Amino acid sequence: MNKKKLDLLRKEANSVPEDYYDIPLDTVKLPSLGKVYPEDHPLCDETEVSIKSMGPMQENILASRALVKKGTVSSVLIKSCLTDQSIDVSSLVLGDKAALMLGIRLAGFGREYKAITTCPSCGEEFENVFDLGKCPIKFLDVEPVSKNTNLFEFILPKSRKTIRFSLLTDGDDHEIFLSQKARKKVIQSDIDTRPTDELLAMIKSIDGKDSRDEIAQFVMGRMHIMDSRALKSYILDISPSMELEEEVTCTHCGETDLHKVPMTTQFFWPSL
């Protein structure tokens, strides 16, 4: 590691004892480029963040059934690996969180990831070794409405209303998880409400009106399906993320297709 990089890591983790650096460190590039974080946020305009490799403590976190049940295992894992402990994981946009999860996995177990995937051509399942180091980063290339804010704008094609929205954060995602969990205890339904829940969490104003009741009434009752699909498509298009997919050749039919990297328990519990 060159001196300039080590100085950067030491500056970011200036509250950590000197002997901490016996633990291997690495850096993770942030898909958001830090553009969505306010000026008082540790990651404001930062393009990368440093992490430490996993150890026995992280194994305990991954094995915690309580954390899995609460839906916080990934957030707690990331927090434990950040060298800058002032970073609030719940404030991270999901693309940055995904990058950190991938970076932690790469630092811990390397690029190779064996997983079962399904061929879209013949429908057969087969084991493939994915190269996680090849997953490209989709960087944020749209500027927020104001510098250092998680706020973007889109005009709905049907109603012509102006929507201001934010990218989902880890905190938003967890709130949606909890609300869906609570709803299932009360209402027995096969309908997945997550797409609507996500819209409600992301939309911050409609034509300048930021009343949560008015936003809910519009999304649940008056929003045209063309507007809904256009907004979700635009959000997906601009969202910073990790492209977790790879070209794979089927061992059954020989066809080469683009496969999404399966997120299974083997991702953090590979056979050694």
Side-chain angles (χ1 to χ4, degrees):
M1 183 183 295
N2 62 45
K3 185 177 185 300
K4 184 177 180 182
K5 186 174 181 181
L6 183 57
D7 286 345
L8 172 66
L9 298 183
R10 288 184 183 279
K11 180 180 178 181
E12 191 168 289
N14 56 14
S15 63
V16 180
E18 188 69 23
D19 60 2
Y20 179 90
Y21 293 98
D22 292 338
I23 300 171
L25 299 179
D26 208 341
T27 56
V28 175
K29 292 182 179 179
L30 297 174
S32 75
L33 301 172
K35 293 180 179 181
V36 297
Y37 302 116
E39 292 182 357
D40 60 351
H41 195 285
L43 296 180
C44 177
D45 289 329
E46 293 292 332
T47 59
E48 60 184 33
V49 63
S50 65
I51 58 170
K52 66 174 183 176
S53 296
M54 290 189 292
M57 186 179 79
Q58 283 69 38
E59 278 193 292
N60 293 340
I61 292 170
L62 290 167
S64 172
R65 292 185 179 182
L67 292 177
V68 172
K69 189 175 181 180
K70 288 166 63 178
T72 59
V73 64
S74 60
S75 303
V76 175
L77 176 67
I78 289 172
K79 182 70 173 181
S80 73
C81 290
L82 288 169
T83 60
D84 184 349
Q85 287 293 295
S86 71
I87 297 172
D88 179 4
V89 177
S90 69
S91 69
L92 298 177
V93 293
L94 293 185
D96 288 349
K97 180 185 177 184
L100 278 162
M101 290 293 286
L102 181 60
I104 291 167
R105 202 282 183 186
L106 285 168
F109 297 108
R111 300 165 65 113
E112 290 191 356
Y113 170 44
K114 290 183 181 180
I116 300 298
T117 188
T118 303
C119 176
S121 297
C122 70
E124 293 290 333
E125 291 186 345
F126 62 97
E127 185 178 74
N128 182 67
V129 179
F130 291 90
D131 184 352
L132 298 177
K134 288 183 177 179
C135 294
I137 303 174
K138 178 187 170 190
F139 290 106
L140 180 67
D141 60 2
V142 175
E143 295 297 321
V145 293
S146 300
K147 184 176 172 59
N148 300 132
T149 62
N150 182 10
L151 197 62
F152 301 84
E153 193 168 279
F154 180 71
I155 298 176
L156 300 178
K158 184 74 173 177
S159 67
R160 307 305 300 170
K161 291 183 178 296
T162 299
I163 301 293
R164 286 197 169 186
F165 65 90
S166 63
L167 303 176
L168 284 177
T169 64
D170 176 61
D172 296 327
D173 191 53
H174 187 56
E175 285 299 318
I176 292 171
F177 168 80
L178 292 177
S179 65
Q180 288 196 311
K181 190 175 180 180
R183 190 181 299 123
K184 285 180 180 178
K185 290 182 178 180
V186 179
I187 304 172
Q188 297 296 321
S189 175
D190 294 329
I191 298 174
D192 182 9
T193 62
R194 185 172 180 89
T196 304
D197 292 340
E198 288 182 351
L199 275 182
L200 289 171
M202 289 186 287
I203 295 176
K204 301 305 178 187
S205 71
I206 302 172
D207 285 340
K209 299 177 181 178
D210 58 4
S211 165
R212 299 312 302 170
D213 287 340
E214 288 190 30
I215 292 172
Q217 289 171 14
F218 177 76
V219 171
M220 302 300 292
R222 303 196 305 274
M223 192 174 196
H224 195 281
I225 190 171
M226 288 178 59
D227 284 343
S228 173
R229 293 184 66 177
L231 176 59
K232 286 186 282 189
S233 177
Y234 179 72
I235 293 173
L236 181 64
D237 185 53
I238 71 164
S239 291
S241 63
M242 298 299 302
E243 303 284 1
L244 295 175
E245 52 188 16
E246 185 179 319
E247 277 195 349
V248 174
T249 300
C250 178
T251 57
H252 296 281
C253 68
E255 288 293 321
T256 299
D257 297 286
L258 205 59
H259 288 236
K260 287 190 177 297
V261 178
M263 289 294 106
T264 70
T265 54
Q266 289 294 306
F267 191 77
F268 278 112
W269 290 104
S271 300
L272 301 178

